[in-house]
Every structure is written in structure tokens, then in C-alpha cells.
Amino acid sequence: MKLVLLSGGSGKRLWPLSNDSRSKQFLKVLENEEKEMVSMVQRVWGQIERSGLGASTFVATGKSQIEMMHSQLGPHVPLIIEPERRDTFPAIALTAAYLYSFIGVDPDEVIAILPVDPFVENRFFDTVKQLEEIVSATRADLALIGVQPTYPSSKYGYIIPESGEDSSGGSLKVSHFREKPQEEEAKNLIAQGALWNCGVFAFRLGYLIDILSGQGLPVNYEELSEQYDQLPKISFDYEVVEKAAHITVVPYEGYWKDLGTWNTLTEEMKNNQIGRGTISGDCSNTHLINEIDIPVSIIGLSDIVVAVSPDGILVTDKSESPRIKDYIDYNQGPMYEERQWGWVRILDDQSYEDGRCAVTKRVCILGGKSLSYRMHTSREEVWTIIKGEAEFVQNGNFMLIGPGNVLHIPMKTLHTLRASADLEMIVVQSGQVREPNRMLELYPTWDEMSQHCFKTS
């Protein structure tokens, strides 16, 4: 069985920490067994590896998340790249075409799809392993995992099974679905044996390949990728699940939670404070997450979340936190981004009456990491090194740099650096607003740049 983690979306309900470049699954707010702060995707990947599924697992993600995935999971994790963000049906269709035409997976092999950010116990993945046998034994089009509800929630979708087992393994044949009912209806559904839909399903690869062929879509990965912008923006549930003739569900009686809002996420945080600040002793059930260097104090307020990042400040009652998506301007570009080589934090972004613009950034290059050999077409930069040491190359000229060095990089000038120790610098990038900037990369790695730019004796 091949396992695919579906990583998409921007996690707007966890603003200001999440943005278009750093979705909710990348926020390092959870604590692992070694007391280290980890993200949702790091936690889930660790559970997958411990369950023995790591070697057969892929991550389906968008272009904007490639560097973040490599930064948090490592370069060895196989990625299936979505050309643009659409919806779950196009993403899973592209995944199927990739496994079928690029990897050569047999049409009879079972594929299991999981969200990238569930908060579950390790034994949840023992249930995931059962899906392969369930699909084969029941000959179902789809096999799902349904979580035994612990309370009548209006936040989740429900799977309503028929009575009696479905051929093998304790799975139940699915009667129908109900999406996010009111609590009173949820009580009645639970009384009928309904299960929470946790977004996990499995199918024979050939089942989805046949659906693509039936819709006249290419089953070759490269061809489908080229036509990706023409695929309908529709969820896999609407396009496939609700049309399937035979669906079975495996009940799971363990801990499961969707950490999609601040109130659910803070319930699983070991510490009620991350970052600089204070919470007074008369506060109850109050959390502070602060990513900037300015201290934040919370006095006499209970049942709230205060989240601070370069993107903004959120102060909200926990129960009202899901409403954030109705109030935030998401057109602002991300002010903080993690990259494979480090991170970038925008300190100031200004445009002036004379048509010039200037962006000031604080940039960190991790020790041993390097930038690509690049140039900016319409922006000049001034770098002020404040910490660390690095090898620097500009138009083929090599020098060592460290704290106190100030470097001027004109427009259309090739440059790169490799940090020998964690390096931080202040970057001021300036140019004309009317001339959009492009960054051109000549060589993506330090090794390739060295081979072509430096002669060896």
C-alpha cells in the first residue's frame, strides 16, 4: 500500500502565524517526547516512520510549500508537486497519475490518502494499515476510517453506516453522509452509530485511473500536470466519494482531533506561553504565542488567545476564534517565511512618492546551507552582516564575510553565499515600483556554482 499525505491550504483560521507560504501544518507549537517544539507535519511524519510506513509514503503539496517541506522533513521525503492550489479532487487525481505513470504502481495496489495534520495517537496508523486488506476483502470502491464520536459536534462531517459488518475485518458498509449538522441532529446521528469523518480513505489505484479516463482526462502525470489549471475546483468528497457505489468504513475508537482553529490547537499545547511576554496569575485558560522580540503582557483575561507574528496581532476569545477568516485582509504578502536554507522576516516595506520602493529584511542562513547563484533584474541590495561567517561569491569573485561587513549588490549581479555557521544579516532591497523584480537563478546549489565558476588545479 502507498500512503499519501495531502498537504494544501493556507490555514487562514490560524492567522497571524499561518499565511500563504507557511500553512498551519508547519507551525512549531506542539511538543514531542524529547520536549522539542515540532509542527503538525513533523509530528505526523514521525508517527508514520515509527509505524513502519515511511518508506511507502509520499507528500502531495504545492510549489509554495516545497522549501518548507524540505526544511522540516528533510530532502529525502518524496513530494508530488501540485502546479497550483485548486482542491482535493485535482490534487488526488494528479497524485494517482504520478503513482501510475511516473512511479509505475500497479493498478491493483491500494492507495491511502490522509490529511497532513491530524492529531492522533500512534495506534491510529495501525488502523490505517488495515485499509489495504479491507479494500481487497470487501471489493469496495472506497474504504474510510470513521472516528467514534465523543460528543455531538457540529464541526465535523458524519459517516452513517448500515447495520452489520461488510464482509471482513469489522468494517461497515456506508449508508450515507451528513456534513456538519447542528448539535441536536448530531446527537441523533450518533445514536444511529454515526462516525466522524476524519478525511482518510483508500482505494485501488485503478479505480481512480478509470474515473480519470472516463472523464477524458490524461492518466499520464506530465500531461495532467500541463492541463491542471483546467481541472474543476471541486473536492474529492463531492466528485468521487458521494458518487461511489460501494463504500465501507473502519471504526476507530481512539483519540483524534482536527487542529484547525486556535481553540482546538491550544488544547493540545503543552505550554500556555511561547515567546516573550507574561501572563498574570489570575488568567485562566489563556495562551500567548509570540514570534517577535517585543514582549506582550496579558493581565486579568481568561479563555483567550493572543497570537503575535510579523504578519499581525490576534486577540480573540477562544470560542470565537474560528470567525477570524471573516475579518482579516489576506492580500498582504507573508511577512515571515521559512526556507530550506533558513528564514526571512520582513521588517519594513515602503513605497515613496518618487516611485522608489524599499524592503528591509532580516535573513538567516543556517550553517552549512547556501543560496542559489542568482541575480535580481530590477532591485539592488545592501547586506549588513550581523552574525556568523560565510563564503561569498559575486560575479565569480570569492571572499570570506563576517559580522560588520557591508556588501553592495547592484542589479543584474550574480551572487551567492554559503554559511559556515548560522549567519544573520539585514538586507535592504530597493528599486523602482514600476519595474517588477524577477530573480534569475543560474545554478541552484553551491556545488554546481563551484564547478562552473572556479577552476581547479
Side-chain angles (χ1 to χ4, degrees), residues 298-438:
I298 305 173
I299 302 171
L301 296 174
S302 298
D303 302 313
I304 70 162
V305 174
V306 177
V308 183
S309 86
D311 282 46
I313 300 171
L314 170 70
V315 181
T316 178
D317 181 280
K318 287 189 175 181
S319 63
E320 299 297 326
S321 64
R323 296 171 55 197
I324 186 173
K325 59 184 180 180
D326 300 325
Y327 292 92
I328 302 303
D329 177 14
Y330 296 106
N331 293 323
Q332 171 187 280
M335 305 293 282
Y336 176 84
E337 297 181 78
E338 280 187 34
R339 303 289 180 83
Q340 188 174 354
W341 42 258
W343 51 261
V344 177
R345 177 173 293 172
I346 294 179
L347 305 177
D348 187 62
D349 188 349
Q350 297 289 335
S351 296
Y352 300 97
E353 293 181 357
D354 62 358
R356 288 186 62 78
C357 60
V359 180
T360 305
K361 312 174 186 178
R362 184 167 184 156
V363 179
C364 174
I365 314 294
L366 300 175
K369 300 289 187 178
S370 64
L371 303 177
S372 61
Y373 199 38
R374 58 180 63 182
M375 71 165 65
H376 295 283
T377 61
S378 304
R379 298 291 184 270
E380 64 177 349
E381 293 187 334
V382 176
W383 294 1
T384 303
I385 311 303
I386 56 177
K387 173 189 173 183
E389 297 178 341
E391 301 166 282
F392 175 71
V393 175
Q394 180 169 304
N395 279 350
N397 298 310
F398 174 90
M399 66 180 292
L400 296 175
I401 58 174
N405 287 134
V406 178
L407 309 171
H408 177 230
I409 304 171
M411 299 177 190
K412 300 178 182 177
T413 301
L414 287 165
H415 61 281
T416 184
L417 68 75
R418 179 171 65 178
S420 52
D422 287 2
L423 180 138
E424 291 189 23
M425 59 184 175
I426 302 299
V427 175
V428 180
Q429 187 183 79
S430 59
Q432 294 290 328
V433 175
R434 66 176 182 272
E435 298 175 1
N437 185 48
R438 288 192 302 152

Side-chain angles (χ1 to χ4, degrees), residues 141-378:
D141 297 327
L142 296 163
L144 316 180
I145 293 179
V147 176
Q148 193 69 48
T150 53
Y151 65 99
S153 173
S154 60
K155 297 181 296 183
Y156 303 135
Y158 287 77
I159 303 168
I160 298 87
E162 296 179 359
S163 59
E165 291 190 2
D166 189 5
S167 303
S168 175
S171 65
L172 306 171
K173 190 170 184 179
V174 173
S175 170
H176 60 284
F177 300 88
R178 181 70 173 92
E179 184 65 22
K180 297 181 180 179
Q182 296 298 315
E183 287 190 12
E184 194 60 37
E185 183 184 356
K187 288 181 183 178
N188 296 330
L189 292 173
I190 293 172
Q192 299 171 36
L195 304 165
W196 282 337
N197 189 349
C198 63
V200 177
F201 36 81
F203 49 84
R204 286 176 48 259
L205 177 59
Y207 172 71
L208 196 53
I209 293 299
D210 289 343
I211 289 176
L212 297 182
S213 298
Q215 294 185 4
L217 296 172
V219 297
N220 178 275
Y221 169 71
E222 293 182 353
E223 292 179 20
L224 188 61
S225 184
E226 289 176 0
Q227 300 180 25
Y228 199 73
D229 60 344
Q230 301 173 33
L231 296 181
K233 284 188 176 182
I234 190 170
S235 73
F236 189 81
D237 293 83
Y238 287 135
E239 184 65 18
V240 176
V241 177
E242 293 191 0
K243 299 176 182 179
H246 182 188
I247 305 174
T248 192
V249 59
V250 183
Y252 171 70
E253 296 184 11
Y255 195 78
W256 172 86
K257 182 181 283 188
D258 176 12
L259 303 185
T261 62
W262 278 116
N263 53 333
T264 57
L265 178 59
T266 52
E267 288 173 356
E268 303 304 333
M269 290 173 56
K270 297 287 180 66
N271 302 307
N272 67 343
Q273 179 178 330
I274 298 174
R276 294 186 66 188
T278 55
I279 301 175
S280 66
D282 56 346
C283 296
S284 174
N285 191 31
T286 291
H287 281 76
L288 167 63
I289 303 94
N290 183 8
E291 289 194 329
I292 66 175
D293 294 330
I294 300 174
V296 176
S297 296
I298 305 173
I299 302 171
L301 296 174
S302 298
D303 302 313
I304 70 162
V305 174
V306 177
V308 183
S309 86
D311 282 46
I313 300 171
L314 170 70
V315 181
T316 178
D317 181 280
K318 287 189 175 181
S319 63
E320 299 297 326
S321 64
R323 296 171 55 197
I324 186 173
K325 59 184 180 180
D326 300 325
Y327 292 92
I328 302 303
D329 177 14
Y330 296 106
N331 293 323
Q332 171 187 280
M335 305 293 282
Y336 176 84
E337 297 181 78
E338 280 187 34
R339 303 289 180 83
Q340 188 174 354
W341 42 258
W343 51 261
V344 177
R345 177 173 293 172
I346 294 179
L347 305 177
D348 187 62
D349 188 349
Q350 297 289 335
S351 296
Y352 300 97
E353 293 181 357
D354 62 358
R356 288 186 62 78
C357 60
V359 180
T360 305
K361 312 174 186 178
R362 184 167 184 156
V363 179
C364 174
I365 314 294
L366 300 175
K369 300 289 187 178
S370 64
L371 303 177
S372 61
Y373 199 38
R374 58 180 63 182
M375 71 165 65
H376 295 283
T377 61
S378 304

